Amino acid sequence: MTEQPLVSICITSHNYARFLPAALESALGQSYPNVEIVVVDDGSIDGSHELLERYADSLRLELQPIRGQAAACNRCYELSRGDIVLFHDSDDVLEGDAAERIVAAFEDPRVVLVLGRLRDIDERGEPLPGVRPPEGCTMTQGDLRRMVAKHATFTWPETTGQSFRRTVLDKVMPIPDGFAPDLYLSNLVALDGYVATIERPVGRYRVHGGNKHMVPGRAGVDWLDMKLRERRLIDREVHEKASDLGLTQSSGSSDKADPSGEPHDYIRAGLELARRRVTGERGGTAWALEGIRAIVSHPQFRVRARARHVAWFAAAAAAPPRLARRVVEARYPFVKAPA
């Protein structure tokens, strides 16, 4: 890496004109001098285009018809040139020294992914008490390759809190359609080197009525199917890449119905169990056992969190159908709404 590596702040946006000025100003106001801003707008119809044109002299801008978040991130990456790449959500805000601290974390040549905490803010930008990942959730650093290969999940912040070494991103881009970029990139990049963490927040995560975790677009069994498709895909991608890198022994596709093979993904196990209890399908017990196995063996869980997850898997598997649905809905509230 060069002495003063170029940092690409890649911003994708869709109908977030009300938040864009704060996001752009925070990217343009970085204390680190060698930064480029790349923006791809994904078919906005809320005045975003006119707003972005006012910044055109300070950034690389492309307006595309609506194609989805993954496609927008892919195009942003194609337009960028940085040694370090940060995908910055357009409703979030970067701290003024974020790029400077991120570059410092990449000084170790083994580091391929830098994770930084985010502080919660409200729709107006006022501080909220939360941070991401939440207080008590450990962001582990160092060599996480075997942990990710085994579990296909670890503790990471949302998109704006993740930064990547370009030479490794080149191996995993483009992001396949249907993947959440932060889920896909964090897992696959972490298989290729060391992870560094920054505890003092590098940005602010805006909590508002349009966040995807609050407005998922689907509900009921449709929501479960959507989330299961995502987890099955990431399990398969992690399984294949980990096998190619010699981190695990290949044992066929992880996308099979048998839950016993790696990766032992407790998130997928919970969703598989939930769907079976909600629909009355067979196979719930096997996925409950897989979820318990995954939780007990995952090194990032503290005792109380581990016990809480194990209790949920046991209750969801053993409860009679009507009570089981209530147990499922307690964890996955979007299941309550009709499909």
Side-chain angles (χ1 to χ4, degrees):
M1 188 176 289
T2 59
E3 192 170 307
Q4 208 171 56
L6 177 64
V7 176
S8 294
I9 300 177
C10 293
I11 301 176
T12 61
S13 186
H14 174 69
N15 288 340
Y16 271 173
R18 64 195 188 279
F19 302 134
L20 264 173
L24 292 169
E25 293 294 341
S26 74
L28 291 165
Q30 289 297 302
S31 60
Y32 183 74
N34 200 17
V35 171
E36 67 168 5
I37 317 299
V38 184
V39 180
V40 171
D41 184 88
D42 189 49
S44 293
I45 55 173
D46 66 343
S48 292
H49 293 181
E50 293 78 8
L51 186 154
L52 286 167
E53 291 291 354
R54 298 204 295 269
Y55 288 87
D57 292 339
S58 302
L59 48 84
R60 188 172 293 114
L61 172 63
E62 184 164 301
L63 310 176
Q64 69 176 30
I66 187 166
R67 294 171 57 202
Q69 186 183 18
C73 285
N74 291 336
R75 183 55 183 153
C76 228
Y77 184 66
E78 290 171 358
L79 294 170
S80 72
R81 302 166 300 165
D83 307 289
I84 296 167
V85 180
L86 162 64
F87 292 98
H88 175 18
D89 283 340
S90 57
D91 51 345
D92 292 344
V93 178
L94 284 173
E95 300 298 345
D97 63 347
E100 188 175 346
R101 289 188 282 140
I102 289 166
V103 169
F106 274 108
E107 287 180 359
D108 182 341
R110 299 173 299 175
V111 171
V112 296
L113 169 62
V114 172
L115 305 177
R117 290 195 188 270
L118 304 172
R119 290 185 293 143
D120 282 353
I121 57 174
D122 67 15
E123 192 159 353
R124 297 171 297 171
E126 297 297 321
L128 294 170
V131 295
R132 294 167 188 269
E135 294 284 359
C137 286
T138 302
M139 288 199 303
T140 307
Q141 62 181 353
D143 187 352
L144 310 186
R145 289 175 291 182
R146 294 199 179 277
M147 181 177 74
V148 176
K150 183 175 180 178
H151 296 284
T153 187
F154 64 109
T155 302
W156 41 259
E158 281 79 355
T159 304
T160 303
Q162 301 181 7
S163 303
F164 307 91
R165 194 180 293 274
R166 186 179 202 89
T167 53
V168 178
L169 271 186
D170 282 341
K171 301 177 185 179
V172 300
M173 295 293 282
I175 303 165
D177 186 44
F179 272 107
D182 50 359
L183 170 67
Y184 176 80
L185 294 177
S186 61
N187 278 281
L188 293 188
V189 170
L191 288 171
D192 224 312
Y194 278 44
V195 175
T197 61
I198 301 174
E199 286 296 326
R200 180 162 65 87
V202 298
R204 286 164 263 171
Y205 179 88
R206 197 181 300 270
V207 180
H208 57 87
N211 295 114
K212 288 186 177 180
H213 69 276
M214 298 176 67
V215 187
R218 302 186 191 184
V221 175
D222 279 353
W223 179 85
L224 282 171
D225 286 341
M226 176 185 70
K227 298 304 291 183
L228 269 171
R229 176 177 177 271
E230 182 179 73
R231 294 311 306 188
R232 289 167 180 166
L233 284 171
I234 198 65
D235 278 10
R236 185 185 68 202
E237 293 284 338
V238 167
H239 176 83
E240 291 177 357
K241 184 172 177 63
S243 179
D244 290 343
L245 292 170
L247 296 170
T248 59
Q249 291 186 348
S250 179
S251 57
S253 172
S254 68
D255 202 20
K256 59 188 183 300
D258 177 9
S260 61
E262 288 188 347
H264 298 297
D265 179 356
Y266 79 92
I267 298 176
R268 176 181 174 181
L271 292 163
E272 297 275 10
L273 172 59
R275 196 186 193 289
R276 283 158 176 76
R277 293 316 320 263
V278 166
T279 62
E281 296 177 39
R282 295 178 179 272
T285 300
W287 282 105
L289 292 173
E290 168 63 5
I292 291 170
R293 178 190 300 116
I295 290 293
V296 168
S297 62
H298 200 300
Q300 284 192 311
F301 281 98
R302 297 183 179 183
V303 173
R304 286 186 180 180
R306 186 173 282 126
R308 186 170 63 250
H309 282 291
V310 168
W312 182 86
F313 276 104
R322 184 174 296 181
L323 180 56
R325 185 178 185 103
R326 292 174 62 184
V327 172
V328 167
E329 290 172 353
R331 171 169 284 199
Y332 307 118
F334 294 118
V335 176
K336 291 181 182 179

